[in-house]
Amino acid sequence: MSIITIVGAGMMGSAIGFPASDNGHEIRLVGTPLDREIIEHARRTGEHLTLRRRLPERFRYYQIEELDEALAGAELLVSGVSSFGVDWFLEEILPVIQETLPVLAVTKGMQDTEDGELIPYPHLYAKKLDRRLSLNAVGGPCTSYELADHDPTEVCFCGEDMEVLRRIKALFETNYYHVSLSTDVVGVECAVAMKNAYALAVTLAVGLSERTEGVGGTLHYNSQAGLFGQSVREMRRLLALVGGGEENIVYGAGDLYVTVFGGRTRLIGTLLGRGLSFERAMEELEGVTLESIVIATRTARAVRRLIELGRAKAEDFPLLLHVDDIISRGAQVAIPWSSFETEETRA
Amino acid sequence: MSIITIVGAGMMGSAIGFPASDNGHEIRLVGTPLDREIIEHARRTGEHLTLRRRLPERFRYYQIEELDEALAGAELLVSGVSSFGVDWFLEEILPVIQETLPVLAVTKGMQDTEDGELIPYPHLYAKKLDRRLSLNAVGGPCTSYELADHDPTEVCFCGEDMEVLRRIKALFETNYYHVSLSTDVVGVECAVAMKNAYALAVTLAVGLSERTEGVGGTLHYNSQAGLFGQSVREMRRLLALVGGGEENIVYGAGDLYVTVFGGRTRLIGTLLGRGLSFERAMEELEGVTLESIVIATRTARAVRRLIELGRAKAEDFPLLLHVDDIISRGAQVAIPWSSFETEETRA
């Protein structure tokens, strides 16, 4: 029996505690300053406010001021914070933990730099901290509520040290939560981050269908599939650009698939495809800043920088750049279908 | 203005005539001996019996005995026959056409041999005929009725000669039908053929969801996405086995996506996932032999042969072999989730 401390009590951070709890481990769920209500509610009712499910009996709840108590004796620290909490986590949490405590972060994608580099958060954290921490991440197709409901789920834990990864896997592996391992942190993180931009791209087709069939009408799959195929094509190119292994396209494709059917990203893409401007589409979401939009624009910005630097070609990323134009420049939806065409001559 | 003769008046053969017709070419639709009623009906009403749509004005209709007339002056022969018609096409049509007449076949996948080889039909035809014909094929995510309805569609034409491919593309390219080209015939054909087995695999998850949520209930996407990711993983391995280029995974993924949402393959997978035996599931389809089932079992058979020959490993294809066990050996659905897990060490 091990103690696993999760900092960040949002939907995914909480859901990832389920398989570990099923394995008999004690889960200490620590709220960030933004999670006070979630922790209060869980303490009172045993239910998660936004996941809308009963939490396992083995969960214990802590407000952020109780962090030390929550970390005492922990074998693993899980970061469940969203992209908007990564800086806070770096400044408030990572400096105070023991160096022997490994960290597993729900993947937050990559940070783009002035040089057009895309750096995964584990590497970014390592650079900014003057400490040798074991920083690992989890990515792959996994919606929080389905994990909580024990739907068969396949994910990947990535990190520098395979031995550490195996030990972390042993804490979480169940008959419904299946874990692959990889030391290709750049490859896995890139593959998973890319789904955000491309899920928007694929769901544009849903909105486009609605222009002819009406809202909620018959869906057209040729166009969705064409965009899905082009997404895989561009994701392969981006993986090559960042130096990630080709095999990680598996996580990109699977995660793209699950995100296309998810809630808010699909809704945004659909509204854009219908013809709403990005501003109007965001209004429909009542101002909730979509994490996926942030990661999508960050990915596009890095690619544009690489194009400026002559290290990437604009004609290799027509779909990504078009999605970025829609989000960042108020462009109308006008998918550049012809630009997806290629000529391949067998070597 | 060119004359394009299509032999095989089924849904896809007929639909592929639409973009060429929109480009101003004359389309001569020739029925096989099994298409008599379709041709009769089209002559009488201008409508396609199974596509259930009005055919373009430029279409002309021929019964099989009028083949010579239909071929006179043609610049391209399109084969629209199903997998069940490939032998007939090889024996009755290919021997009688002029050698200067290029052929474009709607992809029928690959034939497996005793040596575990998977040979694409263009190559098989070339081996069996004592003629030098230009044999090309089209693959990629494209359902016939959506093409007929002008949904944006991305496909690939493959063949030996890029110049010929460009000429054929020029006949078909429109603002809704977008064509990539490739001389990697093995790669494209393999990628497209594989979708059949793996679409069954992914849709098993739909039926599995129904066991808990009821028929037509909430779908679970973690499991579908996990199977989709594993499908991409196995498709990459199979591409490597047959010597196809890695980039063709784009067509495999896109075509898999469109087939997962299609009609009968999805239905079969769903019924199997629900727990019906393969026999019972086929009864529900009222005895209609599914082309996709044939191609799926053929793919699995080739992989099993390669495993016997020591050229492939069973642990690399757990999902394919499980689907084959369900179809060919009456096995219960029991997806081997754990066997999908991998460990990748960065080079």
Side-chain angles (χ1 to χ4, degrees):
Chain A
M1 199 285 290
S2 299
I3 294 167
I4 298 168
T5 305
I6 303 176
V7 172
M11 288 168 63
M12 188 55 96
S14 308
I16 208 175
F18 278 62
S21 170
D22 287 344
N23 283 337
H25 304 300
E26 178 181 322
I27 309 301
R28 295 179 180 169
L29 191 63
V30 185
T32 70
L34 299 176
D35 297 331
R36 299 204 75 87
E37 207 185 334
I38 286 177
I39 296 295
E40 268 310 297
H41 187 86
R43 269 178 169 158
R44 233 179 28 251
T45 68
E47 283 175 11
H48 194 287
L49 206 60
T50 50
L51 200 51
R52 284 180 290 177
R53 281 154 174 77
R54 207 157 173 74
L55 292 165
E57 293 301 315
R58 283 197 187 81
F59 272 46
R60 302 273 172 270
Y61 307 102
Y62 302 75
Q63 295 289 1
I64 190 59
E65 54 269 20
E66 299 164 307
L67 178 65
D68 286 349
E69 193 187 329
L71 285 173
E75 267 194 49
L76 176 72
L77 169 64
V78 175
S79 162
V81 302
S82 76
S83 294
F84 307 116
V86 289
D87 289 340
W88 172 86
F89 192 80
L90 173 65
E91 287 156 19
E92 302 297 322
I93 309 299
L94 289 182
V96 307
I97 64 174
Q98 290 181 350
E99 283 193 3
T100 50
L101 179 64
V103 182
L104 178 71
V106 173
T107 296
K108 290 303 134 205
M110 309 175 93
Q111 180 68 58
D112 60 317
T113 71
E114 264 304 301
D115 312 321
E117 298 299 328
L118 277 167
I119 303 182
Y121 273 98
H123 290 180
L124 202 69
Y125 282 162
K127 280 176 73 164
K128 291 190 171 186
L129 283 170
D130 193 25
R131 316 187 72 197
R132 285 190 67 77
L133 296 178
S134 172
L135 299 166
N136 309 274
V138 50
C142 180
T143 48
S144 57
Y145 45 92
E146 289 188 7
L147 173 58
D149 291 346
H150 294 198
D151 196 39
T153 300
E154 298 273 335
V155 296
C156 179
F157 290 176
C158 63
E160 302 294 318
D161 185 333
M162 187 57 81
E163 274 309 315
V164 172
L165 289 172
R166 289 185 187 121
R167 286 207 303 273
I168 301 176
K169 169 175 174 165
L171 296 172
F172 287 89
E173 178 86 8
T174 61
N175 64 356
Y176 63 91
Y177 191 60
H178 299 281
V179 182
S180 288
L181 302 176
S182 173
T183 56
D184 185 359
V185 174
V186 167
V188 175
E189 293 265 1
C190 177
V192 167
M194 293 190 293
K195 70 163 184 280
N196 295 287
Y198 290 106
L200 282 166
V202 175
T203 51
L204 289 177
V206 177
L208 285 171
S209 295
E210 289 181 341
R211 294 194 199 192
T212 45
E213 307 283 355
V215 173
T218 308
L219 291 177
H220 295 176
Y221 290 106
N222 278 13
S223 40
Q224 280 186 45
L227 291 168
F228 194 92
Q230 180 64 17
S231 295
V232 171
R233 186 175 259 142
E234 292 188 16
M235 290 196 290
R236 279 175 41 84
R237 290 170 180 155
L238 196 45
L239 266 171
L241 265 184
V242 301
E246 296 206 27
E247 65 283 357
N248 296 294
I249 194 61
V250 167
Y251 302 117
D255 220 341
L256 176 59
Y257 186 98
V258 87
T259 310
V260 158
F261 297 101
R264 291 183 303 175
T265 304
R266 182 184 180 88
L267 180 56
I268 287 273
T270 302
L271 295 174
L272 294 172
R274 247 187 244 166
L276 272 70
S277 71
F278 181 66
E279 273 197 60
R280 281 281 292 114
M282 291 304 290
E283 277 170 30
E284 294 264 338
L285 255 70
E286 295 165 328
V288 176
T289 319
L290 256 197
E291 190 173 359
S292 61
I293 302 272
V294 172
I295 299 174
T297 46
R298 188 178 294 166
T299 308
R301 193 170 59 197
V303 169
R304 286 191 195 280
R305 189 82 192 102
L306 288 169
I307 292 168
E308 277 174 37
L309 294 168
R311 291 172 48 199
K313 294 185 287 183
E315 57 259 36
D316 280 350
F317 299 96
L319 186 53
L320 174 66
L321 296 178
H322 182 53
V323 168
D324 186 48
D325 282 344
I326 295 169
I327 296 174
S328 310
R329 291 163 198 72
Q332 292 278 317
V333 173
I335 295 168
W337 297 104
S338 308
S339 67
F340 302 165
E341 297 168 20
T342 58
E343 276 192 7
E344 289 281 345
T345 305
R346 189 183 63 234
Chain B
M1 201 284 289
S2 299
I3 294 166
I4 298 168
T5 306
I6 303 176
V7 171
M11 289 167 62
M12 188 55 95
S14 308
I16 207 174
F18 279 62
S21 170
D22 287 345
N23 283 337
H25 303 301
E26 179 182 320
I27 309 301
R28 295 179 180 168
L29 191 62
V30 185
T32 72
L34 300 175
D35 298 329
R36 299 205 75 87
E37 209 186 329
I38 286 177
I39 296 296
E40 269 308 298
H41 186 85
R43 264 177 174 160
R44 233 178 30 248
T45 68
E47 282 174 13
H48 193 286
L49 205 60
T50 51
L51 202 50
R52 285 180 287 176
R53 278 152 175 80
R54 213 167 166 68
L55 293 164
E57 292 299 317
R58 285 199 187 78
F59 273 46
R60 301 270 170 272
Y61 307 100
Y62 302 75
Q63 294 290 359
I64 190 57
E65 55 268 20
E66 298 164 305
L67 178 65
D68 286 348
E69 194 189 328
L71 285 172
E75 267 192 51
L76 176 73
L77 168 64
V78 175
S79 164
V81 301
S82 78
S83 293
F84 307 116
V86 288
D87 290 340
W88 172 86
F89 192 81
L90 174 64
E91 289 156 17
E92 303 296 325
I93 309 299
L94 288 184
V96 306
I97 64 172
Q98 291 180 350
E99 283 193 4
T100 50
L101 179 63
V103 182
L104 178 72
V106 173
T107 296
K108 288 304 132 204
M110 308 177 93
Q111 180 68 54
D112 61 315
T113 71
E114 264 304 301
D115 310 323
E117 297 298 331
L118 278 166
I119 303 183
Y121 273 98
H123 289 179
L124 201 69
Y125 282 163
K127 280 176 77 164
K128 291 189 169 186
L129 283 169
D130 192 23
R131 319 186 71 196
R132 285 189 68 77
L133 295 178
S134 172
L135 300 165
N136 309 274
V138 51
C142 180
T143 48
S144 58
Y145 45 93
E146 290 189 7
L147 173 58
D149 290 347
H150 293 197
D151 195 36
T153 299
E154 297 273 334
V155 294
C156 180
F157 290 178
C158 62
E160 303 292 319
D161 185 334
M162 188 57 81
E163 273 309 314
V164 172
L165 289 173
R166 288 187 187 121
R167 284 205 305 272
I168 301 176
K169 170 175 173 166
L171 297 172
F172 287 89
E173 177 86 9
T174 62
N175 63 357
Y176 61 91
Y177 191 61
H178 299 280
V179 182
S180 288
L181 303 176
S182 173
T183 56
D184 186 359
V185 174
V186 167
V188 175
E189 293 266 359
C190 176
V192 167
M194 293 190 293
K195 69 161 180 283
N196 294 287
Y198 290 108
L200 282 166
V202 175
T203 51
L204 290 176
V206 177
L208 286 170
S209 294
E210 289 180 339
R211 294 193 198 192
T212 46
E213 308 282 356
V215 173
T218 308
L219 291 177
H220 295 176
Y221 290 105
N222 278 15
S223 40
Q224 279 185 48
L227 291 168
F228 194 93
Q230 180 63 19
S231 296
V232 171
R233 187 175 259 142
E234 293 187 16
M235 289 196 289
R236 278 175 41 86
R237 290 171 179 155
L238 197 46
L239 266 172
L241 266 184
V242 302
E246 295 206 28
E247 66 282 355
N248 295 295
I249 194 62
V250 167
Y251 302 117
D255 219 341
L256 176 60
Y257 187 98
V258 86
T259 308
V260 158
F261 297 101
R264 295 183 301 175
T265 306
R266 182 184 179 86
L267 181 57
I268 287 273
T270 302
L271 295 175
L272 294 172
R274 248 187 241 167
L276 271 71
S277 70
F278 182 66
E279 275 197 58
R280 282 279 294 114
M282 291 306 286
E283 278 170 29
E284 294 263 339
L285 255 71
E286 295 164 331
V288 175
T289 317
L290 258 197
E291 192 174 355
S292 62
I293 301 275
V294 172
I295 299 175
T297 46
R298 188 179 293 166
T299 308
R301 193 170 59 196
V303 169
R304 288 194 194 278
R305 189 83 191 102
L306 288 171
I307 292 169
E308 278 174 37
L309 293 169
R311 289 172 49 198
K313 293 184 289 182
E315 57 259 36
D316 280 350
F317 299 96
L319 186 54
L320 174 67
L321 296 178
H322 182 54
V323 168
D324 185 50
D325 282 344
I326 295 168
I327 295 173
S328 309
R329 290 162 198 74
Q332 291 278 318
V333 173
I335 296 169
W337 297 103
S338 309
S339 66
F340 301 165
E341 297 168 16
T342 57
E343 277 192 5
E344 289 280 345
T345 305
R346 189 184 62 233

